[in-house]
Amino acid sequence: VAASTTELAKLNATILDIVTRINSQYSTLTHQPIMFLKQDMEDAQFVAMVTAADVLMITSLREGMNLTGHEYIFCQDGLYGKKKHGALILSEFTGSAAILSNSHLSVNRWNLRECAEAIHAALTMDPNEKKQRWSDLYGSVMRHTADRWLNTYLDHLKRVWEKHSRQHIVAVSRLSVANVSKKYKRANCRLFMLNYEGTLAALETPTRSPSHTPQRTIEALTVIAYNFRNVVYVMSSKKPNNLNNLFRRLPHFGVVAENGCFMKRVGEDCWSEAANMDKMNAWKQSIRKILVYYQERTHGSWVEERYCSLVYHWGEAKDLVGAARMAGDCANYINDACHNLGVHAVPYEGGLLIESTEWNRGMAAMRIFEDLRRRLSKKTVTTATKNETEEDAGNATKVPVKPVELEFLFVAGNTREDECIYR
């Protein structure tokens, strides 16, 4: 990203002042510590410099793919001079840092002490270690060619297209209000499971105020919940205390917090824990270190700790493009390297939710269904046949009795993340 004319002039002046100060203090008649070249170089001059260099340091703040490191590694084979196997220092924000092996020295561009220590380590590195690191980097450069990049990109594109096609093979038919109304009126027991974020209330985003339930929605849900034939549960990723504030005036609701880790049944005031909190705290300690790592490298981001999950918020970062890329890297790392911990990362607009795979909304729905079925098995309802007379209807001993069954199930969600509830 090119700086503006004013910013570039100030930056050049600042760099020149630093170079002048260092050279005036440490220069001798035969040695000048810093050669500041503010100019375009010919290809031959550039190749000569990267061939003769002991260390190459690239401290990008943001970029796509910097190939200077690849060229430096290729020129450090020692075939055209005595210098060989030079060390490579890359900023974590450099595009090629994700492609090259871990044999380069990685630094946080904003940590000046870490950069100084990396320069010292590169200049004092053992020759055998330098050779081993260079061999690994050279292998990465030779493997990651333009042909491989193209083929990998096409393979990923094909897999995504096939996955997208499978998800849209079956079209969802339009909901028949008349049919639903008919079944609703005939049912003796009805269960409603509703997602909160994105369904009952707007999603909370960095540009939108925190989600709240519209009054019209509350009134409609209250009418449904007060019908003795209906059982209503609201599912959310929020913490239990947040949901207590939202639904404190609606005692006839059942509430599921943190995507199934906590549940408050209909008519109860206390929350029950479905998850093993010791196991939750164990994986959160490991994942928190990873999130803090990315937080320190994304100005304006922060980490929220919930009882059964962690949330990495980056929507208020100053550099949203860089923050989104860092969040994507974080999600990929957690999903790939931390799978054995039983967790996964779910990206959403402006944030990243890390939760356990042992508990989700689908499991909470099964728990609700089983609890309701056990309660219904203890209840009965009287039925009447078509040929029953008024005299028979008044005789309780002749009226058939059958257990109450769940006859109507209504589930509403927002995205494909809620599909586990339907299944």
Side-chain angles (χ1 to χ4, degrees):
V1 179
S4 65
T5 305
T6 304
E7 292 175 344
L8 187 60
K10 292 181 179 179
L11 180 62
N12 288 331
T14 301
I15 295 175
L16 187 59
D17 289 342
I18 296 174
V19 171
T20 302
R21 174 173 54 82
I22 295 176
N23 284 340
S24 62
Q25 184 173 356
Y26 297 102
S27 293
T28 64
L29 294 176
T30 59
H31 173 68
Q32 181 175 331
I34 299 179
M35 296 290 294
F36 181 40
L37 302 177
K38 192 184 67 173
Q39 63 187 47
D40 294 331
M41 289 184 289
E42 298 291 338
D43 291 341
Q45 183 183 8
F46 171 76
V47 171
M49 291 187 66
V50 295
T51 301
D54 294 307
V55 179
L56 174 66
M57 186 175 187
I58 301 175
T59 57
S60 307
L61 290 176
R62 188 177 73 191
E63 63 172 29
M65 179 59 68
N66 190 327
L67 297 179
T68 306
H70 295 67
E71 296 162 343
Y72 171 72
I73 293 300
F74 195 84
C75 292
Q76 285 290 315
D77 53 8
L79 297 179
Y80 300 99
K82 296 181 180 180
K83 296 291 185 65
K84 60 181 180 179
H85 307 155
L88 176 63
I89 303 174
L90 292 180
S91 165
E92 296 170 349
F93 311 106
T94 306
S96 56
I99 299 300
L100 297 176
S101 62
N102 294 327
S103 295
H104 66 273
L105 298 177
S106 181
V107 295
N108 180 3
R109 161 67 175 77
W110 300 102
N111 192 329
L112 299 181
R113 178 176 293 277
E114 186 178 24
C115 292
E117 292 174 351
I119 295 174
H120 181 266
L123 293 174
T124 58
M125 189 178 297
D126 181 75
N128 293 329
E129 182 181 356
K130 290 173 62 176
K131 182 178 180 180
Q132 181 61 47
R133 286 177 176 268
W134 176 86
S135 298
D136 295 339
L137 291 171
Y138 185 80
S140 297
V141 171
M142 300 306 294
R143 286 193 304 271
H144 292 89
T145 61
D147 288 340
R148 176 174 176 174
W149 178 86
L150 176 61
N151 293 330
T152 302
Y153 177 81
L154 293 177
D155 290 341
H156 287 174
L157 185 63
K158 181 180 179 181
R159 287 199 297 269
V160 171
W161 181 85
E162 291 176 348
K163 181 179 179 180
H164 181 79
S165 299
R166 287 195 301 268
Q167 291 177 343
H168 292 79
I169 287 177
V170 181
V172 179
S173 59
R174 187 177 182 84
L175 183 66
S176 173
V177 178
N179 188 30
V180 172
S181 177
K182 181 180 178 181
K183 292 181 178 180
Y184 175 86
K185 293 177 180 178
R186 286 167 42 188
N188 290 308
C189 182
R190 315 176 188 107
L191 174 60
F192 292 79
M193 290 189 288
L194 311 173
N195 180 40
Y196 182 75
E197 293 88 353
T199 303
L200 300 181
L203 288 172
E204 180 179 350
T205 65
T207 58
R208 187 183 297 157
S209 59
S211 56
H212 64 279
T213 310
Q215 183 62 33
R216 187 174 63 175
T217 303
I218 294 178
E219 294 174 355
L221 291 175
T222 303
V223 173
I224 296 174
Y226 269 84
N227 190 314
F228 72 96
R229 298 178 187 271
N230 297 338
V231 179
V232 181
Y233 274 88
V234 176
M235 297 185 175
S236 173
S237 62
K238 293 180 177 293
K239 294 186 290 187
N241 55 339
N242 293 336
L243 293 175
N244 282 334
N245 296 330
L246 289 170
F247 296 102
R248 63 180 181 272
R249 295 179 299 170
L250 304 173
H252 294 274
F253 279 71
V255 186
V256 175
E258 297 207 27
N259 294 330
C261 291
F262 296 90
M263 181 184 297
K264 184 165 66 173
R265 293 178 175 85
V266 178
E268 295 183 359
D269 296 328
C270 299
W271 291 89
S272 61
E273 295 181 2
N276 187 325
M277 298 307 298
D278 292 335
K279 292 179 63 176
M280 291 290 176
N281 293 329
W283 69 255
K284 283 199 297 184
Q285 290 181 359
S286 301
I287 299 299
R288 189 187 299 108
K289 296 178 181 178
I290 299 175
L291 298 182
V292 170
Y293 174 88
Y294 285 93
Q295 176 196 357
E296 292 176 347
R297 289 152 179 80
T298 306
H299 185 66
S301 64
W302 56 285
V303 177
E304 175 190 359
E305 181 170 351
R306 299 175 179 175
Y307 294 108
C308 299
S309 59
L310 295 171
V311 184
Y312 173 57
H313 298 274
W314 56 267
E316 297 180 357
K318 293 185 177 180
D319 180 9
L320 289 177
V321 176
R325 180 169 63 86
M326 294 291 286
D329 293 341
C330 180
N332 292 334
Y333 180 79
I334 292 175
N335 290 331
D336 293 340
C338 304
H339 181 72
N340 60 328
L341 296 177
V343 299
H344 67 162
V346 182
Y348 65 93
E349 184 181 357
L352 187 66
L353 173 66
I354 298 88
E355 60 183 1
S356 173
T357 56
E358 295 183 2
W359 287 99
N360 57 35
R361 299 185 184 187
M363 296 176 183
M366 289 300 300
R367 186 180 175 193
I368 293 171
F369 188 78
E370 294 298 330
D371 286 349
L372 182 60
R373 189 161 61 179
R374 283 195 298 268
R375 289 166 50 194
L376 294 178
S377 64
K378 302 176 183 179
K379 296 182 179 181
T380 58
V381 63
T382 59
T383 61
T385 62
K386 293 182 179 179
N387 298 325
E388 183 181 277
T389 64
E390 293 182 3
E391 181 181 357
D392 292 331
N395 191 341
T397 60
K398 295 184 179 181
V399 177
V401 178
K402 70 174 184 178
V404 178
E405 295 181 355
L406 179 62
E407 299 172 327
F408 184 90
L409 175 62
F410 185 91
V411 181
N414 179 48
T415 63
R416 290 194 176 274
E417 298 298 328
D418 297 322
E419 285 188 357
C420 58
I421 307 175
Y422 302 100
R423 292 194 294 265

